[in-house]
């Protein structure tokens, strides 16, 4: 019955199409040997992927590495999902050559990794452990031999525990130790690494680690102490920029990777776009704005009141040491509307029904990859931007044959890349994109239960398998276009 109905419908459609020449002529053009009109990126656009030391390396007690705050935190009962730790993680410390081969196979142009500070300086300062830098030197050589550009982050949250014992980021001294470590890395790697990022996501590790205590070191500081720790981190960034410049070979570029509040006008009208522009400065006032402008905004200082950080003019100058590029880690959209309040904008909260990926905080808002770099470039006059992280968590259950059809991640990536393409086509200076993450790994307090990789990792065997999203990304890279 239904077959007869659909045949009749088809016949009716065919007859109707005779009266509407546009339909057959379009159908004639649809050639399954071709894909749709490509949304191409400029020649040389850098397609990359990222990981971080504690999340993938394992080997936490090998070759003289000292403990980090994440070793301590993850071994404290009740702090992480299932009590998961990074003790073994992806065993990338031993498997890095095979991982590089996988990267090459995918066609990656660049790989963003982080250096474990406690491998190089087991207690954070003092004498260096040469076996520490040796590992990263071999990693860099392996990447270059595979034609992959190394992008190196100096701090992706694994602070040496010995420094935390002396106050961690609450202590101004930690900033000086960080600068000394940064200079040492520049001495040893800048002949081959041309892009360094000081910090990854200052906002996350300060607010989660020192604010609400759900990340290492698990502190819940009062607002004044929290602001002071935040200030020491931006100061450490500035000192490290200077140290890298002083020690690096010519031609090295320095920046950072920050999870800025990615402001998106709630409706694309001039008043909401204006509001999103004001919000970009104010919502990032304690981190990227002070780094790029060398001042805390009046609104930030008045919002903090008596809890505002203590600082000197000389420190602000150091914090604002010129950088060459800005990395934006972007996962969600932060919707903004115009408001008659003194601030001139208001953040729009997410309705409860708003969908999310496996991680409840990860609510897709692809237009963030259009607006955030566009607004950031115009507010701060940035000439070189990278999307240093973007990606999604998914349930990632393998089929009986071992395939992982992470269509949700593929849709997520396609939608975000389409918006990024929109920005780049308008001339927004985004030079590259790093998908988070190259492979499933230790997702901090969420342990191994939350997967972000485009390669599936069986943590019992350490086998890596490309997911559908890896096949998707391979096409993106090969075509230099949204696939
Ligand atoms: C940001 C962090 O830099 C990274 O370490 C983390 O795994 C991803 N976001 C996903 O949460």
């Amino acid at each position: 019955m239904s077959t007869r109905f659909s045949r009749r419908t088809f016949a009716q459609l065919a007859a109707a199409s005779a009266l509407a020449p546009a339909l057959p002529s379009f159908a004639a053009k649809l050639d399954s040997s071709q894909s749709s009109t490509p949304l191409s990126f400029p020649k040389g656009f850098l397609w990359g992927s990222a990981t971080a030391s504690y999340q993938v390396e394992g080997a936490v007690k090998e070759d003289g590495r000292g403990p980090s705050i994440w070793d301590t935190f993850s071994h404290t009962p009740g702090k992480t999902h299932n009590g998961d730790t990074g003790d073994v993680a992806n065993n990338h410390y031993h498997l890095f050559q095979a991982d590089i081969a996988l990267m090459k196979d995918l066609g990656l142009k660049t790989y963003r990794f982080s250096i474990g500070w406690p491998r190089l300086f087991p207690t954070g300062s003092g004498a260096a452990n040469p076996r520490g830098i040796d590992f990263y030197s071999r990693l860099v050589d392996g990447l270059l031999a595979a034609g992959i550009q190394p992008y190196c982050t100096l701090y992706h949250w694994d602070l040496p525990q010995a420094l935390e014992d002396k106050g961690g980021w609450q202590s101004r001294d930690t900033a000086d130790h960080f600068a000394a470590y940064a200079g040492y890395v520049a001495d040893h790697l800048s002949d081959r690494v041309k892009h360094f990022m000081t910090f990854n996501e200052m906002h996350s590790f300060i607010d989660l680690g020192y604010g609400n205590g759900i990340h290492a070191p698990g502190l819940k500081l009062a607002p004044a102490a929290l602001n002071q720790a935040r200030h020491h981190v931006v100061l450490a960034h500035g000192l490290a920029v200077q140290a890298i410049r002083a020690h690096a070979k010519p031609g090295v570029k320095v920046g950072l990777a920050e999870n800025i509040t990615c402001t998106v006008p709630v409706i694309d009208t001039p008043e909401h776009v204006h509001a999103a522009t004001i919000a970009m400065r104010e919502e990032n006032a304690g981190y990227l704005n002070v780094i790029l402008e060398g001042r805390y905004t009046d609104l930030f200082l008045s919002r903090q009141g008596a809890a505002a950080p203590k600082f000197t003019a000389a420190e602000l100058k150091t914090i604002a040491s010129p950088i060459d590029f800005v990395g934006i880690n972007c996962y969600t959209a932060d919707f903004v509307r115009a408001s008659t309040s003194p601030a001139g904008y208001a953040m729009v909260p997410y309705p409860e029904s708003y969908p999310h990926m496996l991680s409840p905080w990860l609510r897709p808002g692809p237009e963030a990859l259009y607006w955030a770099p566009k607004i950031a470039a115009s507010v701060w006059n940035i000439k070189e931007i990278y999307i240093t992280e973007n990606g999604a968590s998914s349930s990632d259950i393998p089929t009986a044959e071992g395939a992982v059809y992470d269509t949700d991640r593929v849709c997520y990536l396609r939608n975000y890349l389409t918006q990024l393409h929109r920005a780049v086509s308008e001339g927004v200076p985004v030079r590259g994109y790093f998908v988070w993450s190259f492979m499933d790994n230790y997702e901090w307090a969420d342990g191994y239960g939350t997967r972000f990789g485009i390669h599936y990792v069986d943590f019992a065997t350490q086998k890596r398998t490309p997911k559908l999203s890896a096949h998707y990304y391979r096409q993106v890279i090969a075509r230099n276009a949204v696939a």
Side-chain angles (χ1 to χ4, degrees):
M1 176 72 181
S2 65
T3 313
R4 264 192 10 244
F5 176 75
S6 51
R7 270 197 199 124
R8 211 167 43 234
T9 306
F10 180 77
Q12 285 166 352
L13 271 176
S17 71
L19 302 173
L23 182 59
S25 76
F26 172 78
K29 271 201 270 169
L30 186 61
D31 173 354
S32 59
S33 69
Q34 293 178 353
S35 52
S36 57
T37 313
L39 298 178
S40 300
F41 282 76
K43 195 166 177 290
F45 191 83
L46 273 187
W47 295 105
S49 188
T51 65
S53 44
Y54 190 73
Q55 293 183 272
V56 298
E57 286 176 3
V60 291
K61 293 198 173 140
E62 289 183 45
D63 293 336
R65 178 187 181 274
S68 77
I69 53 173
W70 268 97
D71 296 276
T72 310
F73 186 78
S74 64
H75 279 273
T76 307
K79 296 295 186 192
T80 67
H81 174 76
N82 278 340
D84 288 349
T85 74
D87 287 2
V88 178
N90 297 45
N91 197 16
H92 178 70
Y93 192 75
H94 296 290
L95 301 178
F96 76 93
Q97 292 291 11
D99 287 334
I100 292 173
L102 260 188
M103 292 175 202
K104 188 174 179 185
D105 182 58
L106 193 68
L108 282 192
K109 310 283 182 219
T110 174
Y111 172 61
R112 175 177 169 241
F113 64 94
S114 79
I115 293 197
W117 183 353
R119 282 200 193 282
L120 276 53
F121 293 92
T123 57
S125 62
N129 162 33
R131 285 174 296 170
I133 197 70
D134 183 57
F135 167 68
Y136 297 102
S137 192
R138 285 182 286 124
L139 174 66
V140 165
D141 287 344
L143 289 167
L144 291 172
I148 299 169
Q149 287 187 42
Y151 272 56
C152 171
T153 310
L154 294 173
Y155 187 89
H156 203 128
W157 307 358
D158 38 3
L159 181 71
Q161 180 62 44
L163 290 184
E164 181 58 35
D165 295 341
K166 294 185 199 149
W169 291 113
Q170 293 187 77
S171 164
R172 162 77 173 71
D173 292 347
T174 303
D176 291 322
H177 296 315
F178 181 66
Y181 151 67
Y184 175 86
V185 174
D187 271 337
H188 289 81
L189 296 185
S190 68
D191 55 335
R192 288 154 291 156
V193 176
K194 298 301 168 195
H195 292 82
F196 288 97
M197 282 147 281
T198 54
F199 283 96
N200 175 73
E201 297 201 358
M202 298 179 278
H203 198 152
S204 295
F205 77 81
I206 285 293
D207 288 28
L208 303 178
Y210 294 81
N212 67 19
I214 63 170
H215 275 192
L219 301 180
K220 293 181 185 172
L221 299 181
L226 185 63
N227 272 327
Q228 207 56 43
R230 185 180 283 143
H231 179 69
H232 293 151
V233 170
V234 289
L235 181 60
H237 157 85
L239 291 168
V241 170
Q242 296 181 353
I244 295 168
R245 299 242 190 263
H247 289 257
K249 298 270 182 294
V252 160
K253 292 190 173 182
V254 192
L256 77 173
E258 181 58 357
N259 59 321
I260 59 170
T261 297
C262 289
T263 62
V264 172
V266 72
I267 307 174
D268 187 351
T269 60
E271 69 270 31
H272 295 306
V273 172
H274 180 62
T277 306
I278 305 173
M280 179 61 83
R281 287 183 73 237
E282 297 298 352
E283 293 297 307
N284 296 299
Y287 299 105
L288 194 57
N289 194 68
V290 68
I291 286 173
L292 295 177
E293 290 191 357
R295 61 182 288 263
Y296 289 113
T297 67
D298 296 341
L299 184 64
F300 174 78
L301 292 175
S302 72
R303 279 175 173 172
Q304 305 307 319
K310 308 264 175 289
F311 58 89
T312 65
E315 285 173 350
L316 290 181
K317 207 163 163 231
T318 301
I319 291 169
S321 300
I323 54 175
D324 305 299
F325 67 89
V326 169
I328 297 177
N329 289 6
C330 174
Y331 289 86
T332 59
D334 297 290
F335 293 108
V336 183
R337 65 175 171 81
S339 153
T340 52
S341 68
Y345 73 91
M347 303 307 293
V348 180
Y350 279 97
E352 221 181 286
S353 56
Y354 199 102
H356 61 79
M357 306 300 292
L358 192 68
S359 312
W361 58 268
L362 212 175
R363 307 176 188 101
E367 56 275 56
L369 267 200
Y370 171 69
W371 287 106
K374 179 174 162 136
I375 295 177
S378 93
V379 166
W380 293 303
N381 193 22
I382 309 170
K383 302 289 183 229
E384 186 169 336
I385 294 179
Y386 295 90
I387 303 304
T388 32
E389 282 186 32
N390 172 243
S393 51
S394 162
S395 43
D396 291 332
I397 315 262
T399 63
E401 294 75 37
V404 177
Y405 293 106
D406 53 341
T407 48
D408 51 354
R409 184 177 285 110
V410 171
C411 289
Y412 176 103
L413 295 176
R414 182 186 293 119
N415 290 337
Y416 274 74
L417 290 177
T418 301
Q419 293 291 331
L420 181 63
H421 176 267
R422 208 179 140 205
V424 171
S425 312
E426 285 181 17
V428 177
V430 180
R431 308 291 180 224
Y433 168 95
F434 296 78
V435 69
W436 184 272
S437 177
F438 179 67
M439 54 187 165
D440 297 332
N441 56 47
Y442 181 67
E443 180 55 14
W444 307 112
D446 292 333
Y448 298 100
T450 302
R451 294 171 179 271
F452 270 88
I454 58 171
H455 289 89
Y456 183 86
V457 177
D458 178 338
F459 289 101
T461 61
Q462 291 296 350
K463 183 169 183 247
R464 282 80 157 129
T465 307
K467 301 178 191 174
L468 184 68
S469 53
H471 297 297
Y472 170 77
Y473 197 47
R474 180 197 309 279
Q475 291 302 321
V476 170
I477 300 172
R479 296 184 205 175
N480 195 28
V482 180

